[in-house]
Amino acid sequence: MSASAAMSEVETDMRLKIFALAGIVAAAAAAPTSAEEPATYDGPVIDMHLHAYTADGNGPPGTPLCPELSEFAWDGQGSWIEHFGAKVLSRPCLKPIAGSLTDEALRDETITEMRRLKVRGLLGGSEERVADWMQAAPDLFWPARHLNPQRDPETTPESLAADFAAGEIVAIAEITGQYSGIMVDDPRMEPFWSMAEREGIPVGVHIGLGPPGAVHMYPSFRAQSPSHLAEVLGKHPKLRVFVMHGGYPYIDDLKALLWVHPDLMIDIAVLQFALPRAEFHAFLAELVRAGFGDRIMFGSDQMNWPGAIGLGIEAVNEADYLTYDQKKAILHDNAARFLRLDADGKLPD
């Protein structure tokens, strides 16, 4: 072979390699990247914060909810409860969420919304009402029991342990002693923590704030920082606990606890519709930026407004700082891990 022919063959071979490399680069460029993954997660959702309420649980049946509660404009005169209902909760707005008109409608409309959005959830409330909702849709709900030692003196560590052993509940939530001035580190709570740790019962604890003007509705109410959990978790390191409402607004205290206790979880219930949307995203984004995206669980805090479930899911999906996988984790996977669901989505025996 002549030198010129050999050189021509080498050049041809190099061109083929360049074309092949260009094809690989083009294919890689055309392939979906993580940034190009579907922006919206529309798979199954786990709602860690549902209530089996009555239709008059937050005002007369049918009371609408105007999201993003703010600018209360109260001068301290008259009844805060009346002002809150008319001027804050149900103030005129573009997209109010309808309240259900009857107890049966509240149950059925919530079930319809959950089926539409592929949601299963942890359902708290009175024993009778939870049983009613469970009977209507046993495939959608995991039963839980509310606890406030001041309000529910008949509920004891022994009765809760018996209910858990019998399969009547899978968790204790929502624990709301805060509304009666009983913080999580109050000595009256110690027997419940000891029992829950011993039996392996998940517990969801109301931490942070309550409704606006809470002290005018519940005179013993006090705001509670997540730091109140520090001694509880130190004493009960195997306690399966999640902080409800994200402990808002105490984000620094929350981040400290999440760092020290790697199995501590939170839900973000109520924040999606109670806070101005920009504030909700600022709070969520800071937690994710701090590396705690795997500890955040979705919760709607659906009480009287079935539409609050969809609104909450929408709020997570619109977060442009979350990847598809992070949205999936918040809306489903983190809760599945916390509840220890198997591959078929079933609770452990």
Side-chain angles (χ1 to χ4, degrees):
M1 179 182 295
S2 69
S4 60
M7 181 62 69
S8 176
E9 184 175 334
V10 170
E11 290 174 348
T12 300
D13 185 55
M14 286 297 294
R15 282 196 296 271
L16 289 174
K17 288 181 179 179
I18 290 171
F19 290 151
L21 180 60
I24 293 172
V25 171
T33 66
S34 59
E36 295 170 335
E37 290 177 337
T40 299
Y41 171 75
D42 62 357
V45 172
I46 296 176
D47 188 334
M48 290 295 291
H49 202 133
L50 291 164
H51 294 282
Y53 259 33
T54 57
D56 62 355
N58 281 288
T63 296
L65 164 68
C66 184
E68 302 187 40
L69 310 179
S70 62
E71 299 183 0
F72 307 143
W74 187 48
D75 63 4
Q77 299 185 81
S79 166
W80 165 254
I81 295 176
E82 292 178 4
H83 180 89
F84 175 68
K87 304 296 185 181
V88 181
L89 188 68
S90 300
R91 71 194 187 281
C93 63
L94 292 176
K95 294 182 179 180
I97 303 175
S100 298
L101 293 172
T102 67
D103 296 349
E104 294 74 19
L106 176 58
R107 178 197 63 205
D108 296 344
E109 289 164 5
T110 301
I111 289 170
T112 297
E113 188 75 347
M114 292 176 70
R115 292 202 187 282
R116 181 180 74 85
L117 296 168
K118 295 175 282 190
V119 177
R120 291 186 296 166
L122 188 67
L123 181 68
S126 69
E127 184 175 350
E128 297 77 13
R129 197 156 298 280
V130 168
D132 176 62
W133 287 43
M134 288 288 300
Q135 185 176 17
D139 59 317
L140 295 186
F141 300 115
W142 295 294
R145 187 84 76 243
H146 283 175
L147 173 63
N148 179 328
Q150 183 73 22
R151 184 195 62 205
D152 311 313
E154 73 284 354
T155 302
T156 65
E158 293 74 23
S159 69
L160 291 169
D163 288 345
F164 180 72
E168 295 181 11
I169 61 172
V170 303
I172 305 169
E174 179 174 7
I175 298 175
T176 57
Q178 178 180 356
Y179 281 80
S180 300
I182 301 175
M183 303 303 181
V184 294
D185 51 358
D186 188 292
R188 285 171 286 184
M189 292 301 302
E190 174 57 28
F192 293 99
W193 303 138
S194 294
M195 178 278 299
E197 181 183 38
R198 183 179 66 249
E199 302 296 333
I201 306 177
V203 296
V205 188
H206 184 110
I207 297 281
L209 307 179
V215 74
H216 293 280
M217 305 173 184
Y218 311 94
S220 297
F221 182 92
R222 298 294 181 269
Q224 176 174 217
S225 164
S227 63
H228 282 271
L229 268 174
E231 288 300 319
V232 175
L233 296 175
K235 188 173 182 179
H236 302 285
K238 294 185 178 180
L239 185 64
R240 298 173 62 192
V241 60
F242 65 104
V243 173
M244 293 177 145
H245 312 296
Y248 178 87
Y250 301 102
I251 194 164
D252 288 336
D253 289 348
L254 178 66
K255 288 193 291 186
L257 278 185
L258 290 170
W259 183 270
V260 173
H261 302 280
D263 54 346
L264 178 66
M265 304 292 287
I266 70 168
D267 78 27
I268 50 174
V270 91
L271 304 183
Q272 305 97 318
F273 67 78
L275 299 180
R277 188 57 63 87
E279 174 69 1
F280 164 72
H281 283 304
F283 184 78
L284 180 59
E286 183 168 345
L287 289 172
V288 172
R289 187 171 61 249
F292 299 122
D294 63 335
R295 318 285 281 283
I296 304 166
M297 303 185 294
F298 173 71
S300 65
D301 206 4
Q302 197 311 79
M303 293 174 274
N304 304 101
W305 309 284
I309 300 172
L311 182 148
I313 295 171
E314 176 187 283
V316 174
N317 266 320
E318 74 180 22
D320 58 7
Y321 50 86
L322 295 177
T323 67
Y324 177 84
D325 286 343
Q326 287 173 322
K327 293 174 183 179
K328 181 173 181 286
I330 291 170
L331 290 168
H332 181 272
D333 294 352
N334 294 342
R337 185 181 72 250
F338 176 73
L339 293 171
R340 300 174 180 171
L341 303 184
D342 65 18
D344 295 322
K346 297 180 180 178
L347 291 166
D349 296 329

